[in-house]
Amino acid sequence: MVNIETRIQLLNGHTDEPTKKMLHHLVERKKKLETYKNKCFQAQFITFILLMGFIVYLYAFIIKPTGGQLEVIFHILFDGTYHILVVLLIVGGYATAQFYKKKEEKAETEYHNLRCEVIRKSTELWPQPIQWEKRHEVFSMMKNEFDINLFHESK
């Protein structure tokens, strides 16, 4: 059995069970999107910090003391196993950020498609005039509680 969000479950007079499940799936997709956004940002941030640290290290401890002689710089860079390890960490961080960016884009597409489906099917989900009036309350609750805009299809 799907454990539906408490706030959605309390919409007894406003929606039927299939609509509640649809709204719950929408909330789950929104949370999934936010999770991937956070993971992508963290990977990008860590990669950026590693890259900046490595550039400062290169300048302060390798380029400046050697006077900018390329042969010496490359010799020092490729002799140190830690240098290669740091470069691999930076490349791995970049690849991780790209991985999470693709996951984020996919999750955003799924979320947006389901959100638009709820908006388009709102006349079927709230067919009675009394229910149609309560639809606004449901949409407002979704906006206030979960930051999901069901009033308009645009992102």
Side-chain angles (χ1 to χ4, degrees):
M1 182 175 168
V2 178
N3 190 12
I4 296 179
E5 291 279 341
T6 308
R7 190 70 175 100
I8 294 173
Q9 196 63 39
L10 294 174
L11 295 172
N12 289 333
H14 295 70
T15 61
D16 56 356
E17 284 303 312
T19 305
K20 287 179 188 176
K21 286 182 182 178
M22 196 175 215
L23 293 173
H24 176 69
H25 288 300
L26 190 59
V27 170
E28 285 180 336
R29 293 220 175 124
K30 173 80 173 189
K31 286 179 181 178
K32 183 179 175 183
L33 171 63
E34 294 301 321
T35 300
Y36 283 130
K37 274 186 180 180
N38 284 337
K39 287 182 178 183
C40 181
F41 175 76
Q42 289 172 352
Q44 289 171 336
F45 184 74
I46 290 170
T47 303
F48 178 75
I49 295 298
L50 278 172
L51 180 64
M52 289 299 112
F54 191 60
I55 289 172
V56 168
Y57 166 78
L58 285 177
Y59 179 75
F61 296 104
I62 295 178
I63 295 173
K64 199 171 183 185
T66 60
Q69 296 173 347
L70 287 177
E71 292 175 10
V72 177
I73 292 172
F74 283 124
H75 179 69
I76 293 172
L77 273 179
F78 292 113
D79 272 355
T81 48
Y82 292 114
H83 298 145
I84 295 171
L85 178 66
V86 172
V87 170
L88 287 175
L89 282 173
I90 292 169
V91 170
Y94 179 77
T96 302
Q98 290 300 311
F99 172 77
Y100 282 126
K101 188 66 177 172
K102 286 180 183 176
K103 291 280 194 178
E104 176 189 339
E105 289 169 357
K106 181 181 176 194
E108 183 176 11
T109 302
E110 290 174 355
Y111 163 72
H112 184 67
N113 289 342
L114 183 59
R115 192 177 66 80
C116 289
E117 183 180 346
V118 170
I119 293 169
R120 283 191 295 269
K121 289 186 175 183
S122 63
T123 55
E124 297 170 25
L125 298 172
W126 291 275
Q128 312 301 329
I130 296 168
Q131 289 176 331
W132 184 256
E133 292 170 7
K134 293 181 180 183
R135 173 190 71 101
H136 180 73
E137 295 174 30
V138 173
F139 285 11
S140 295
M141 183 276 300
M142 292 296 286
K143 178 70 175 158
N144 295 334
E145 294 289 323
F146 305 109
D147 195 30
I148 297 174
N149 184 2
L150 294 173
F151 292 105
H152 305 287
E153 283 191 33
S154 64
K155 291 183 180 182

